[in-house]
């Protein structure tokens, strides 16, 4: 399917791969989840009207509402809302006609939507997750929290997060490849628009931070579904969960706030009429923050048993990360001072965001000090500080919504209604969150509070409803604009300076009729029919683009893959109906596994098999589909000149996989040190078996190289033989691994027997899963070679498969000594 239906049809939005359509889908879906999360917050704020709590919610329902609110806002609203702007605007700002991988872009959206649906369904599966959005161990596993957590709904919540992380990973790979590979001629990194700069750093942080979260979620899922013991017994470590989660969690603050900063930069420049003061230093400051964000996570753990020297070190890194932000804040303030401010609706929201963020940042410094953190941790001070930072980012994103609304819709809105929505929003925001500083002695996550705090909580509850009313005003303003607003000019802002304002409102399907270029020092659109390939696009890619005739913008298979994954995870959530019982006082697993008949419904295995079948079929058809993405023959590609587009995407994906395996392997090392390194004997029956598998995989790497040589020589029989040998060796590895596992089972050792068995089975199982994925890819390559003589002369797909396969082999070389020799 290549023809794109009209926007007025439902089919258009189900099959589109165009970056602007996907951006609109992200924006609308994120706003839906905002409303859902907002309703949850109004529920528990109404419950807190009285000091003892009203009868509106039970304690379990309160915990579910708070947890759901936090997860929805942090994961399903904040980042995806920013991603909507990025999808729409980044290709326009850098002079590209679409993202590098349009179908992957659509797939990332469908993973996002279906993950949110899976999350919402949890409420109808006995109980949604109720352990807080940070999911602290050990309360995140059933044995320690059976009343709330031993449910299919809680499992669905965790798997929804896994699916969401898959969406984030696909999106990050896509944006990183696009920005580094598809910038218009003459547009160097230093000269990119600041919103694109902020998003580039955001997706780099996403790539690594969410990989660490995925590792933590996979361990948690294995505890809940496979009954392993990472967090579930006295051997497991709740501290390890905190390390993994906050290694993701603190960069997440900047992942959320950086796009908001990008909006502030753009709107401040436009509505002050001058370039941002200290632009180069602001970019350097953001780069420093992005790097430092991974070095401050332990300030969330000052109340743990980590020694004081480490806590002091992380106190210093926390204070240090505030210094680049000081530079950014002063740059924004000085830009206002040196410019001529125009108080439009977008600028009011941006300036309001700056004021709120300053207050949030100052109060956060308190929490960076070990001594003060002892006093404030676990109180409403943290709640207030957190919202003054995170929702300040939301405030700036609302500015972006107003700022780019004319470009997206082609309609103008009422400035009077817009300014009124800002006034109500700003008052509601401060009524809601500022009293929480005054009521700081209230313990967070508790569904009642002392009588002396009643006044502050009642003001906060009033503020919550005022803030909700401001959102209603925002929606009314934009809806009225959409229905009856005047036609917007292509550029309604006098001093806007980025490329999206040079195209019609809304932009055409492929953005420009020609090829944007900055070679002359300013933006020009030249006739791209005369473009010749430079060193950046490979000859094959240019040839394929020429044969395509035009770019495709529609495919049904991203939707079907998303639906198949959703059904598979829905079934997987119900495959663990059991609660582990512990022998009294020992912490050892008893022989008895108990569960209810309702939980043992045959529907869940059926969903699992049906989802797997649908997913497999959709992936196969996705691979067979002829789809031509827009290709730029001439572009700025530093520092990746000469690297093909797909190869760059593969390398970026593997970078996230390095963090995934690093976190899982790091978890194994942490647990061995935690329990005493010498207390564990190697689990496998013999190191010889592991050595045999090492030779098998290393040999398979040589056969992959041989396959690449055969493809270059257009030797079909040799290519089939070399790839076939690779598959045979991969199957041999799995057979040996299967024998090894069966040997353990025969001797009474399972993944849930002890912690050392859990780490062995999960870590080597994750690697085996990667081997299986590789075999499926190799099988598809063999099918294409046999049926249509594919890859003869165009060896790139074989090369990309080889890169992945070599990575899998390298991981095994690391696992072998850790699990077989030490």
């Amino acid at each position: 399917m290549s023809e794109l239906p009209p926007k007025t049809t439902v089919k258009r939005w189900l099959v589109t791969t165009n970056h602007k359509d996907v951006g609109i889908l992200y924006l609308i879906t994120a706003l839906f989840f905002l409303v859902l999360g907002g309703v949850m917050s109004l529920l528990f704020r109404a419950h807190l009207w009285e000091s003892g709590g009203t009868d509106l919610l039970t304690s379990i329902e309160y915990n579910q509402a708070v947890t759901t609110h936090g997860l929805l806002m942090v994961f399903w609203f904040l980042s995806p809302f920013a991603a909507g702007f990025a999808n729409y605007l980044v290709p326009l700002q850098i002079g590209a006609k679409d993202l590098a991988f349009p179908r992957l872009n659509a797939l990332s959206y469908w993973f996002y939507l279906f993950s949110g649906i899976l999350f919402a369904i949890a409420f109808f599966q006995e109980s949604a997750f109720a352990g807080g959005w940070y999911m602290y161990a050990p309360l995140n596993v059933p044995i320690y929290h059976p009343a709330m957590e031993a449910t299919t709904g809680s499992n669905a919540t965790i798997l929804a997060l896994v699916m969401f992380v898959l969406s984030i990973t696909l999106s990050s790979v896509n944006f990183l490849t696009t920005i580094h590979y598809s910038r218009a001629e003459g547009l160097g990194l230093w000269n990119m628009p600041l919103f694109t700069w902020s998003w580039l750093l955001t997706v780099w942080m996403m790539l690594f931070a969410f990989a660490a979260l995925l590792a933590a979620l996979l361990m948690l899922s294995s505890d809940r579904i496979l009954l392993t013991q990472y967090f579930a017994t006295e051997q497991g470590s709740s501290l390890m969960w905190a390390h993994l989660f906050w290694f993701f969690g603190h960069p997440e603050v900047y992942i959320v706030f950086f796009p908001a900063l990008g909006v502030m930069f753009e709107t401040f420049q436009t509505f002050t009429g001058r370039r941002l003061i200290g632009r180069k230093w602001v970019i350097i400051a953001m780069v420093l923050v992005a790097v430092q964000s991974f070095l401050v996570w332990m300030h969330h753990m000052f109340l743990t048993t980590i020694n004081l020297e480490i806590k002091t070190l992380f106190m210093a890194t926390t204070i240090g990360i505030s210094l680049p932000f000081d530079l950014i804040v002063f740059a924004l303030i000085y830009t206002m001072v040196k410019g001529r401010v125009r108080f439009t609706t977008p600028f009011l929201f941006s300036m309001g965001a700056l004021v709120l963020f300053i207050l949030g940042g100052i109060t956060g410094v308190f929490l960076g000090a070990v001594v003060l953190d002892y006093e404030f941790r676990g109180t409403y001070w943290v709640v207030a500080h957190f919202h003054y930072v995170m929702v300040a980012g939301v405030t700036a994103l609302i500015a972006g919504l107003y700022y780019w609304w004319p470009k997206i819709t082609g309609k103008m809105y009422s400035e009077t209604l817009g300014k009124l929505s800002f006034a109500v929003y700003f008052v509601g925001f401060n009524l809601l969150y500022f009293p929480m500083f005054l009521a700081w002695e209230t313990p967070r996550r508790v569904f009642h509070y002392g009588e002396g705090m009643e006044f502050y909580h009642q003001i906060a509850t009033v503020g919550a409803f005022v803030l909700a009313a401001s959102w209603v005003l925002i929606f009314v303003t934009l809806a009225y604009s959409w229905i009856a607003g005047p036609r917007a000019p292509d550029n309604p802002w006098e001093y806007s300076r980025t490329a999206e304002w040079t195209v019609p409102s809304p932009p055409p399907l492929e953005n420009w009729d020609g090829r944007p270029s900055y070679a002359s020092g300013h933006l020009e659109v030249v006739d791209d029919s005369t473009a010749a390939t430079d060193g950046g696009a490979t000859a094959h890619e240019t040839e394929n683009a020429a044969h395509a005739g035009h770019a495709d913008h529609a495919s049904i298979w991203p939707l079907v893959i998303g639906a198949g994954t959703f059904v598979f995870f829905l079934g997987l959530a119900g495959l663990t109906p059991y609660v582990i019982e512990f022998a009294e006082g020992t912490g050892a697993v008893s022989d008895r596994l108990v569960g209810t008949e309702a939980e043992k419904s045959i529907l869940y295995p059926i969903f699992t098999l049906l989802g797997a079948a649908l997913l497999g079929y959709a992936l196969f058809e996705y691979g067979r589909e002829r789809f031509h993405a827009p290709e730029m023959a001439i572009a700025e590609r530093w520092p990746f000149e000469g690297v093909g587009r797909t190869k760059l995407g593969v390398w970026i994906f593997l970078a996230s996989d390095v963090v995934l395996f690093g976190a899982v392997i790091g978890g194994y090392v942490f647990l061995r040190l935690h329990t005493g390194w010498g207390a564990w004997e190697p689990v496998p029956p013999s190191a010889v078996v592991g050595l045999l598998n090492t030779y098998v995989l290393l040999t398979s790497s040589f056969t992959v190289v041989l396959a690449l040589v055969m493809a270059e020589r257009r030797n079909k029989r040799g290519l089939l033989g070399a790839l076939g040998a690779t598959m045979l060796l991969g199957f041999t590895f799995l057979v040996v691994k299967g024998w090894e596992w069966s040997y353990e089972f025969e001797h009474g050792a399972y993944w849930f027997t002890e912690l050392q068995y859990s780490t062995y089975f999960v870590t080597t199982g994750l690697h085996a899963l990667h081997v299986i994925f590789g075999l499926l890819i190799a099988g598809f390559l063999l099918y294409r070679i046999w049926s249509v003589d594919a890859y003869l002369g165009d060896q790139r797909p074989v090369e990309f498969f080889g890169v992945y396969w070599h990575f899998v082999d390298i991981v095994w070389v690391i696992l072998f000594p850790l699990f077989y020799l030490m």
Side-chain angles (χ1 to χ4, degrees), residues 168-200:
I168 289 290
T169 302
L170 291 176
S171 181
S172 299
V173 170
N174 212 346
F175 274 106
L176 288 170
T177 304
T178 302
I179 296 172
H180 284 298
Y181 189 82
S182 301
R183 301 189 307 277
E185 179 187 23
L187 184 62
L189 282 175
W190 278 112
N191 297 320
M192 286 195 311
L194 285 170
F195 177 77
T196 297
W197 249 114
S198 70
W199 188 249
L200 173 63

Side-chain angles (χ1 to χ4, degrees), residues 80-129:
F81 193 50
F85 291 120
N87 266 278
Y88 201 99
L89 297 164
V90 165
L92 286 165
Q93 289 196 340
I94 66 173
K97 294 195 173 184
D98 208 321
L99 290 179
F101 310 112
R103 289 190 300 170
L104 282 186
N105 192 34
L107 180 58
S108 71
Y109 168 75
W110 292 114
F111 273 0
Y112 161 57
L113 175 62
F114 282 118
S115 70
I117 295 173
L118 182 60
F119 180 86
I121 285 176
F123 277 100
F124 304 97
Q125 296 174 304
E126 301 168 81
S127 171
F129 193 84

Side-chain angles (χ1 to χ4, degrees), residues 360-361 363-365 367 380-390 437:
T363 55
V365 174
L367 298 171
Y380 263 60
W381 183 279
V382 178
V383 178
H385 153 71
F386 180 80
H387 284 85
Y388 263 89
V389 172
M390 301 289 270
F437 285 122

Side-chain angles (χ1 to χ4, degrees), residues 7-26:
K7 288 185 178 180
T8 53
T9 63
V10 174
K11 184 180 179 181
R12 161 72 170 246
W13 302 100
L14 297 179
V15 303
T16 183
T17 63
N18 183 263
H19 72 97
K20 295 180 292 295
D21 292 343
V22 174
I24 291 171
L25 288 171
Y26 264 107

Side-chain angles (χ1 to χ4, degrees), residues 62 133-134 376-380 382-383 386 442-446:
Y62 176 87
W133 77 270
Y134 26 73
F376 288 128
R377 179 65 58 188
T379 72
Y380 263 60
V382 178
V383 178
F386 180 80
T442 306
R444 63 188 299 200
R445 306 185 294 272
V446 177

Side-chain angles (χ1 to χ4, degrees), residues 150 152 155 224-225 573-579 594-596 598-601:
T152 300
N155 293 339
R224 301 185 63 90
I225 297 173
L575 291 185
T576 208
Y578 303 110
V579 179
V594 295
T596 67
E599 289 172 320
K600 297 177 183 179
S601 170

